[in-house]
Amino acid sequence: VELRLVDLSLPIYDRMPTYPVMPKTAITPHIGEQDLPFNLHQLVLCSHLGTHLDAPYHFLSDGLTVDKLDLRKCVGPAAVVDLSGKGPKEEIRPEDLYPYEEAIASCRRIILRTGWDKRFASDGYFSDHPAVTREACVWMLERRIVCLALDMPSTHVSEDAETHRLLLGPDAEVVLIEGLRGLDRLRGAQVVLMALPLAIEGCDGSPCRVVAIDGDVASLGASLNALALEDENSDLRGAT
Ligand SMILES: [Zn+2]
């Protein structure tokens, strides 16, 4: 059985564009007080730069922060929904998802492929992308999804707050992945998605390296949906 690893992440670079209200990206060689015998860079990155994850705290002041997420939501089978016919600001409605209902209900993770990433760094990428409607969010939540991944920078152009609050709200706590790249390289209708954020304490989101395993992933996906958590008493930060 041939399995392929596909990188779905936008490259991160100095002055990489982000929303106008967000911090400007800067990746610069670190100039210390003395010459160092190694290379070192300083990174100034928005928590929602490029391919990234939204934690509930992004829109809900008492929501989970990115370091507290259940990472099992970020790793597992995902249904790939082809919406490549959607144009600028065009609505994504429940009807668009009906043909994928069985796969969505079993995977509980959804990748929406619109092809909008082809416009990255050109006009309109942040302002004119297709729009996941509130009705589509409700429909997905009724299928008990745990993760929604998009190749657009956000869910909606004018109703981003409403749609984010639905998905990130305390009843759902969906892991939202935005800014994916190159979903046309996935061949399977289902893949294994892996999208892990940095463990930044108290943060609302994080850039992610996102990959998919493509191929015959049915048994692998089923195993991953039954993952247990490690001993909750373990403390990765060690004694302080
Ligand atoms: Zn975001």
Side-chain angles (χ1 to χ4, degrees), residues 81 83 92 97 110-114 132 148-151 183:
V81 173
L83 301 171
I92 294 167
L97 308 173
I110 306 179
I111 299 173
L112 297 185
R113 172 188 150 199
T114 68
V132 184
L148 175 64
L150 316 170
D151 59 2
L183 294 175

Side-chain angles (χ1 to χ4, degrees), residues 19 22 47-50 52-55 58-59 153-154 164 176-178 204-205:
Y19 282 92
M22 293 183 173
S47 50
H48 297 257
L49 178 68
H52 71 277
L53 181 149
D54 283 12
H58 185 40
F59 272 90
S154 185
H164 274 73
L176 184 57
I177 314 291
E178 297 167 327
D204 52 274

Side-chain angles (χ1 to χ4, degrees), residues 112-125:
L112 297 185
R113 172 188 150 199
T114 68
W116 193 255
D117 58 300
K118 302 273 186 294
R119 308 222 187 179
F120 185 78
S122 61
D123 285 351
Y125 174 77

